[in-house]
């Protein structure tokens, strides 16, 4: 079945450590996105990519980095510079252009040890 | 993107229609209305979207007023599994590219009761 796979479902980070969250899609979508959700809050955009080898910062990119080497994959690295990384991270994808909706994975919950 | 206003919570009896309202009085001509829902600890699930005509799919119906300043999502026969937070979002649609940002507000928590 086509969809978006995020892994791991739960992730723990030690202070000063970088961690990478995986996002893979087999929907043949050009555009991919990373959002962060804090308890009781809506989603905030971290980074997005409309095409391979290109990506743009969203509203809260500080402390995060991404890469888009393959159409199917858009990993997010939470660096040690992100001082409050505990959150629910959601990856989404969509066709590029037009009114088609974004489709989301089931998220990765990141916690600090 | 235009801001939306939704009631924070609603209840609905199982088997009855759930009607979730959304106000978007500052919507512009090229903004579409999207509805998503989120069940606890899962990613948001797309439900339906529209521009100005009413839309229906296997999950729900979307009724948009003629002036487009408000809309209603209708779940025709709510079940317990429809208990979730429902988000109404308006987004500019650009046909040549997709900057893609979805602005999620607080949404409406729908509680379906037996």
């Amino acid at each position: 079945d086509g969809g978006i796979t995020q892994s791991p479902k739960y992730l723990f980070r030690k202070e000063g450590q970088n961690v990478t969250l995986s996002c893979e899609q087999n929907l043949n979508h050009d555009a991919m996105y990373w959002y962060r959700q804090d308890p009781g809050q809506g989603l905030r955009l971290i980074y997005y990519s409309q095409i391979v080898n290109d990506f743009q910062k969203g509203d809260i990119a500080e402390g995060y980095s991404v890469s888009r080497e393959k159409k199917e994959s858009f990993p997010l690295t939470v660096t040690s510079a992100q001082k409050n990384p505990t959150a629910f991270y959601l990856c989404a994808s969509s066709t590029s252009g037009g009114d088609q909706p974004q489709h989301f994975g089931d998220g990765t919950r990141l916690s600090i040890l | 993107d235009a801001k939306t206003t939704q009631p924070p919570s609603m209840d609905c009896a199982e088997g009855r229609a759930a009607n979730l309202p959304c106000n978007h009085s500052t919507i512009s001509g090229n903004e579409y209305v999207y509805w998503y829902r989120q069940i606890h600890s899962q990613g948001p699930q797309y439900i339906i979207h529209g521009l100005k005509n009413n839309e229906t799919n296997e999950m729900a119906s979307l009724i948009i007023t003629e002036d487009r300043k408000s809309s209603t999502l209708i779940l025709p026969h709510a079940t317990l599994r429809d208990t979730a937070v429902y988000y109404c979002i308006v987004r500019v649609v650009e046909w040549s590219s997709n900057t893609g940002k979805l602005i999620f507000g607080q949404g409406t928590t729908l509680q379906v009761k037996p």
Side-chain angles (χ1 to χ4, degrees):
Chain A
D1 288 338
I4 300 170
T5 302
Q6 290 189 242
S7 61
K9 189 170 179 65
Y10 299 95
L11 187 58
F12 298 91
R13 194 191 91 168
K14 295 180 180 179
E15 294 285 348
Q17 185 180 49
N18 293 353
V19 291
T20 298
L21 284 60
S22 170
C23 178
E24 303 278 332
Q25 55 98 0
N26 60 3
L27 299 167
N28 200 32
H29 285 166
D30 289 310
M32 297 187 73
Y33 315 85
W34 274 105
Y35 291 87
R36 168 182 172 141
Q37 186 174 34
D38 294 285
Q41 304 295 316
L43 280 66
R44 293 183 290 167
L45 183 66
I46 304 172
Y47 269 97
Y48 65 99
S49 167
Q50 295 190 63
I51 197 169
V52 174
N53 292 324
D54 186 49
F55 48 84
Q56 287 79 39
K57 294 181 178 180
D59 298 322
I60 55 166
E62 185 175 353
Y64 300 98
S65 66
V66 293
S67 63
R68 186 84 188 277
E69 297 177 1
K70 298 187 301 181
K71 186 175 185 178
E72 303 79 18
S73 178
F74 192 40
L76 173 74
T77 296
V78 183
T79 75
S80 56
Q82 172 49 243
K83 298 306 179 187
N84 185 22
T86 297
F88 189 42
Y89 291 86
L90 289 154
C91 178
S93 71
S94 72
T95 57
S96 187
D99 66 330
Q100 291 306 300
Q102 292 179 25
H103 294 276
F104 287 81
D106 278 336
T108 292
R109 193 167 298 279
L110 176 63
S111 301
I112 298 301
L113 291 176
Chain B
D1 292 332
K3 180 175 178 174
T4 62
T5 303
Q6 299 176 253
S9 64
M10 295 181 61
D11 290 341
C12 178
E14 188 178 20
R16 303 296 295 270
N19 296 279
L20 290 88
C22 180
N23 287 320
H24 30 80
S25 58
T26 60
I27 194 169
S28 59
N30 62 347
E31 287 183 309
Y32 281 64
V33 180
Y34 292 79
W35 283 84
Y36 284 80
R37 71 181 182 184
Q38 188 174 25
I39 297 169
H40 183 62
S41 295
Q42 296 182 20
Q45 178 188 23
Y46 164 75
I47 302 172
I48 199 168
H49 74 285
L51 179 61
K52 55 184 178 181
N53 297 322
N54 297 338
E55 302 287 345
T56 295
N57 63 21
E58 64 279 4
M59 290 182 67
S61 294
L62 174 60
I63 308 298
I64 302 174
T65 58
E66 191 169 347
D67 63 8
R68 303 208 320 122
K69 293 185 177 182
S70 66
S71 60
T72 301
L73 178 74
I74 301 172
L75 307 178
H77 305 287
T79 70
L80 298 178
R81 288 182 294 180
D82 291 322
T83 293
V85 180
Y86 287 77
Y87 296 99
C88 168
I89 300 161
V90 291
R91 181 172 75 89
V92 171
V93 172
E94 298 172 358
W95 292 92
S96 60
S97 65
N98 189 346
T99 57
K101 182 167 68 175
L102 296 175
I103 301 175
F104 284 72
Q106 297 299 308
T108 296
T109 299
L110 175 68
Q111 182 71 49
V112 180
K113 298 186 174 181

